Amino acid sequence: MDDLLELLAKKRGIGQEYTDIWGKTTRTSPENKRAILNAMGYVTSDPEALAAQIADEDIRHWQQILEPVYIRRQQAEHQVVCRLPAGATQRLIWRIELESGDQLQGTTELTENHKIKSFEYNKILYSEYSLNIQNNIPCGYHRLVLLSENNAKILAASSLIIAPSHCFHPGFIQQNQKCWGPSVQLYSLRSQRNWGVGDFTDLKMLLRGVAAWGADFVGLNPIHALYPANPDACSPYSPSSRRWLNVIYIDVEAIPEFKANPELQKALSVSEEQAQLQQLRTVEWIDYKAVFAFKMRWLRQVFENADLSDRSERGRAFAEYIAAGGDSLLQMATFDALQNTLYAGGLEAWGPPVWPDAYRDYHSAAVKTWIASHQFDIRFYLFLQWVADQQLTEAEQLAKALGMKIGLYRDLAVGVSEGSCEIWANKDFYCPEASIGAPPDPLGPQGQNWGLPPVDPVRLYQAAYQPFIELLRANMRGCGALRIDHVMGLRRLWWVPPGAPSSMGAYVYYPVDDLLAILALESHRQRCMVIGEDLGTVPPEMRTLLHDNGIYSYKVFFFERALDGGFFSPSHYPAQAMSALTTHDMPTLRGFWHCDDLSLGRDLGLYPDEEKLQDLYRERHSAKQAILDSLRWHGILPENIGHDVSWVGMSSALSHALQEHMCRGNSALFSTQLEDWLEMDLPVNVPGTCSEYPNWRRKLSKDLESFLNDPALAVLARRLTNARKQLQ
């Protein structure tokens, strides 16, 4: 039994061991392998049942003439494998139906020289052959068809994807131009007009302001769909769907149906409504429940008073949007409408795992019946996605009109939560019994469990990667760059078995070459450059893969340290990279310098060992001294700042010097956080916490109107722009 489990673990890509960020090698225990195989759907407790499952998989594999999909980089000839039973015709016609409508065709005779291996089942011998296609096939999504020579009968068909050698690089990159831009958690924006949370109109205001200062992009947190009926589930990295948008970012007053309705405008202007709005704007932390309650009430009124019939131009555009969104959009709207109904009925309906049995599967008869009887409610949520898409598109178009080299730079989360629409409607692609996370590293010393069920790599392959393709298209459309969170997940993901501590997981490997090829193809099609968040435990071969595929690395200053404790000069960073001082999972610049993250972590119980915490304080002191030494060596430390860190606090002068230091670096892109411009101390997120800290709720300390008119920030932006230009 143990040998059978070991063979199956290898077949399913469960890693035997891994090397952690400190260089220590840890082997995957047999118990962990068994638990992960269980999560994949294998019956490891019953040897006979397990053997039957494995045999069934082998038989189905050999009886499948063509693979579900073949992915190749563009070149003069390609090899594909096919499988045929003994006695089948050995002379075949292959046909490639190009997406353009054209066809390529050829004939081949399979001989012993083409045979790779064989397999016998039920007295039938199956053989696998290598089929050579000598044709320079254009990049794209094509169809490979095998036909018998005699009667031209179709024997099998498969997807054939031809991809370029690497991801898209915009022209300014090829001309060695370097640029910078701020990154922002969109919800955290304050303004004198928003409804208590940053929205797409705020984004447009930010774009205008920073473009005038010389910025070439604005980076966003994931703006994926969350849970309108469950507002406190607000982490942008635990979405309901990564294909659709978070409707909280809608500016109600910018919707054409609101602007054309004087009665609604008058109703909003009354003192009671304005008092509620002012309260939502002024509270220190975002009150998601109150924001959603207020915003959804007004969105519903806009929708109910709108003419969206086929008689109106807007109605026809809405119908086209619904048709283009297809089943996926209907799933999203149905999920939101149904969850809202369940909550209204008094249920704690955070996700399908706790919904009434009849509604736990999107494809059930009960859900179909519910859809038929709730068309108006579902149409409301379709309307919200349409409006959100239009307002985001307007922001993207504005960025291009302002001449920004990249424009919007979006963020793709690594997965969806267990209570998500994506899993509810597409269960076959996921293994909901497991969760992905990360092994122990400096950001999470105990390891991390993100509560995100992993995609089953085999099922993704059997679907010809269509869900992955659609995901990339949805997130690349209209933006100039896409950051892929935890990009190592294209090669391997840390699976945590049910009930196990985060540190006791194992890596499961994914078809990285296929995924990178699709990423390159979609990158060129959408003219969208790709940035991979490659922090944490990253094997050297993965960095090589990312570089060779034209994916930009992510260099965070505080992590770029030499063995002697000093900091690498940004002038030595790779050109194919985005650099940053901090990230959303780290303390702000001021918080780092004043060790606020360590004192906060102690208060939250993240550092139960006082001795280790004191070691962290001492290490931080050494790190800050090394930063001062580096700035002084580079000639960028202001004269009024001392050289002994014991007497140097974070100041505007030091903060600006650090940002300029990064802008003088070699990386093509530099991203700065608005929190550091405003010299804020509290972080937006504390990894390893849930309810202990109000993650994803902290607002910026100043509103847009104030800091976009701040002369000191205008001077800083000019310094960053000039520093980037001097390197070109």
Side-chain angles (χ1 to χ4, degrees):
M1 179 66 171
D2 289 344
D3 290 342
L4 188 63
L5 286 174
E6 280 297 318
L7 288 172
L8 183 57
K10 288 181 181 178
K11 178 182 176 183
R12 289 306 310 264
I14 301 174
Q16 298 293 306
E17 62 184 28
Y18 79 98
T19 302
D20 67 20
I21 200 168
W22 297 284
K24 178 186 174 184
T25 298
T26 301
R27 291 194 62 81
T28 306
S29 69
E31 293 77 18
N32 272 15
K33 293 176 183 176
R34 182 189 295 268
I36 290 173
L37 287 171
N38 285 338
M40 290 177 170
Y42 293 99
V43 187
T44 64
S45 59
D46 184 335
E48 290 187 7
L50 181 62
Q53 281 183 293
I54 296 172
D56 183 60
E57 287 182 357
D58 288 341
I59 293 163
R60 283 189 279 113
H61 170 78
W62 282 97
Q63 290 179 338
Q64 190 174 35
I65 295 175
L66 290 175
E67 296 290 345
V69 60
Y70 298 90
I71 300 183
R72 303 290 185 265
R73 302 298 178 123
Q74 192 172 30
Q75 58 187 33
E77 62 179 70
H78 305 277
Q79 273 77 40
V80 299
V81 296
C82 65
R83 288 171 290 275
L84 294 169
T89 177
Q90 303 296 294
R91 192 170 178 82
L92 302 173
I93 296 173
W94 57 262
R95 184 173 73 218
I96 297 172
E97 299 171 354
L98 303 177
E99 61 179 358
S100 65
D102 296 331
Q103 293 187 359
L104 305 172
Q105 188 165 299
T107 304
T108 187
E109 185 162 354
L110 301 177
T111 67
E112 285 295 316
N113 292 334
H114 297 97
K115 187 180 293 185
I116 302 171
K117 54 187 176 182
S118 298
F119 172 82
E120 186 172 353
Y121 168 69
N122 201 19
K123 297 184 180 180
I124 299 176
L125 183 68
Y126 296 86
S127 295
E128 187 173 79
Y129 298 91
S130 175
L131 177 63
N132 188 40
I133 298 175
Q134 294 183 335
N135 235 303
N136 197 357
I137 306 168
C139 289
Y141 298 94
H142 315 301
R143 185 169 182 256
L144 171 64
V145 181
L146 282 188
L147 307 98
S148 59
E149 185 189 34
N150 295 334
N151 57 13
K153 174 186 175 184
I154 293 180
L155 301 175
S158 172
S159 295
L160 174 63
I161 302 174
I162 306 296
S165 60
H166 57 76
C167 290
F168 172 75
H169 289 181
F172 78 90
I173 292 283
Q174 298 174 32
Q175 296 166 15
N176 203 33
Q177 296 179 25
K178 302 182 185 299
C179 65
W180 72 275
S183 60
V184 61
Q185 302 287 313
L186 181 54
Y187 53 84
S188 72
L189 288 177
R190 290 181 188 264
S191 73
Q192 296 168 17
R193 48 139 303 277
N194 74 29
W195 288 18
V197 68
D199 59 30
F200 290 128
T201 296
D202 288 336
L203 176 57
K204 291 163 74 172
M205 187 190 307
L206 178 63
L207 285 165
R208 290 190 188 96
V210 299
W213 284 349
D216 278 307
F217 63 84
V218 167
L220 298 175
N221 57 283
I223 53 176
H224 310 315
L226 293 182
Y227 307 87
N230 184 22
D232 283 337
C234 59
S235 169
Y237 292 92
S238 297
S240 180
S241 172
R242 293 177 294 172
R243 284 194 59 186
W244 305 103
L245 297 172
N246 186 352
V247 299
I248 202 171
Y249 296 126
I250 293 173
D251 174 8
V252 178
E253 295 174 87
I255 301 173
E257 284 74 20
F258 178 88
K259 294 165 73 173
N261 192 323
E263 291 184 6
L264 286 180
Q265 295 169 32
K266 183 179 179 181
L268 180 62
S269 68
V270 302
S271 58
E272 293 85 353
E273 299 293 325
Q274 290 301 307
Q276 286 190 54
L277 279 178
Q278 189 59 26
Q279 172 65 16
L280 294 175
R281 292 186 189 115
T282 54
V283 292
E284 196 63 25
W285 302 86
I286 297 171
D287 185 343
Y288 281 106
K289 281 186 177 178
V291 169
F292 256 116
F294 190 87
K295 187 168 279 195
M296 293 297 280
R297 175 163 60 85
W298 279 95
L299 285 167
R300 187 77 180 205
Q301 290 185 66
V302 172
F303 171 70
E304 290 177 352
N305 285 277
D307 178 8
L308 297 172
S309 67
D310 291 342
R311 297 185 303 272
S312 70
E313 184 178 343
R314 288 275 291 171
R316 290 190 292 273
F318 183 34
E320 290 173 3
Y321 174 81
I322 293 172
D327 289 341
S328 178
L329 178 58
L330 177 61
Q331 292 162 6
M332 184 77 259
T334 301
F335 179 94
D336 285 345
L338 177 54
Q339 186 175 47
N340 184 66
T341 298
L342 294 175
Y343 266 112
L347 294 177
E348 184 57 37
W350 60 264
V354 297
W355 288 2
D357 290 345
Y359 298 135
R360 291 187 183 181
D361 186 343
Y362 171 76
H363 303 282
S364 71
V367 171
K368 288 187 175 71
T369 300
W370 192 92
I371 291 173
S373 61
H374 291 78
Q375 285 292 298
F376 191 75
D377 288 337
I378 292 170
R379 189 169 169 82
F380 169 59
Y381 287 96
L382 293 171
F383 173 74
L384 297 188
Q385 286 296 327
W386 180 51
V387 170
D389 182 76
Q390 288 186 320
Q391 294 191 359
L392 174 61
T393 299
E394 289 173 3
E396 292 165 341
Q397 292 171 344
L398 174 63
K400 291 180 172 66
L402 291 168
M404 301 178 88
K405 291 186 176 72
I406 294 175
L408 291 187
Y409 146 48
R410 289 182 60 178
D411 197 348
L412 177 63
V414 69
V416 293
S417 79
E418 61 176 325
S420 66
C421 170
E422 234 177 82
I423 294 178
W424 178 61
N426 302 280
K427 287 182 180 178
D428 289 346
F429 294 121
Y430 291 89
C431 295
E433 295 300 315
S435 175
I436 58 177
D441 63 24
L443 274 180
Q446 305 302 317
Q448 298 178 54
N449 183 335
W450 301 327
L452 309 174
V455 171
D456 186 320
V458 170
R459 293 171 191 167
L460 184 62
Y461 174 67
Q462 290 170 345
Y465 302 112
Q466 196 59 36
F468 182 66
I469 295 167
E470 292 171 359
L471 177 66
L472 292 179
R473 286 176 180 166
N475 285 272
M476 286 182 171
R477 182 173 58 85
C479 67
L482 180 67
R483 173 188 180 271
I484 299 181
D485 186 47
H486 195 67
V487 73
M488 294 81 72
L490 297 176
R491 181 173 184 262
R492 66 182 189 181
L493 280 172
W494 183 257
W495 285 34
V496 181
S502 305
S503 59
M504 297 301 290
Y507 277 112
V508 173
Y509 284 78
Y510 285 71
V512 63
D513 291 329
D514 286 358
L515 298 177
L516 287 173
I518 293 170
L519 184 60
L521 177 56
E522 286 302 320
S523 170
H524 278 271
R525 296 227 155 160
Q526 309 298 331
R527 299 185 63 78
C528 178
M529 61 190 303
V530 179
I531 301 153
E533 189 262 304
D534 53 350
L535 305 177
T537 308
V538 187
E541 61 270 21
M542 186 61 186
R543 293 198 191 278
T544 301
L545 268 176
L546 294 175
H547 179 272
D548 292 347
N549 279 273
I551 297 171
Y552 281 68
S553 184
Y554 197 59
K555 297 296 180 185
V556 177
F557 176 73
F558 293 124
F559 295 153
E560 295 299 312
R561 302 187 67 177
L563 293 176
D564 64 0
F567 286 80
F568 291 119
S569 169
S571 63
H572 295 155
Y573 290 3
Q576 191 175 302
M578 169 175 276
S579 62
L581 279 166
T582 60
T583 76
H584 62 269
D585 282 331
M586 296 174 62
T588 63
L589 189 52
R590 177 174 287 273
F592 173 91
W593 200 263
H594 294 160
C595 301
D596 293 336
D597 59 315
L598 300 181
S599 57
L600 177 61
R602 176 170 53 192
D603 294 343
L604 297 176
L606 299 181
Y607 303 113
D609 189 322
E610 183 64 27
E611 184 177 340
K612 286 186 177 180
L613 178 60
Q614 292 306 314
D615 286 342
L616 291 175
Y617 273 107
R618 286 188 285 270
E619 199 284 330
R620 180 67 56 82
H621 183 85
S622 299
K624 293 192 297 181
Q625 185 62 61
I627 290 171
L628 281 185
D629 294 343
S630 181
L631 291 179
R632 184 173 55 154
W633 187 89
H634 283 86
I636 201 170
L637 188 68
E639 292 182 1
N640 63 336
I641 294 180
H643 299 166
D644 184 349
V645 75
S646 300
W647 308 100
V648 176
M650 180 51 62
S651 62
S652 297
L654 181 55
S655 172
H656 294 186
L658 270 166
Q659 293 181 63
E660 184 176 352
H661 179 53
M662 295 295 287
C663 259
R664 291 183 179 182
N666 188 49
S667 296
L669 312 173
F670 169 61
S671 175
T672 183
Q673 293 200 123
L674 290 183
E675 289 87 344
D676 294 330
W677 279 19
L678 302 180
E679 301 179 33
M680 297 175 63
D681 50 6
L682 289 176
V684 70
N685 175 53
V686 178
T689 66
C690 183
S691 58
E692 301 90 338
Y693 182 81
N695 295 318
W696 319 113
R697 291 171 170 82
R698 191 220 58 204
K699 297 182 181 182
L700 294 182
S701 56
K702 292 183 179 180
D703 60 40
L704 275 165
E705 293 86 351
S706 297
F707 76 73
L708 288 177
N709 289 288
D710 186 333
L713 292 181
V715 171
L716 169 62
R718 190 157 54 246
R719 287 172 63 182
L720 301 184
T721 301
N722 290 338
R724 297 264 79 186
K725 287 182 177 178
Q726 289 169 10
L727 296 168
Q728 297 173 16

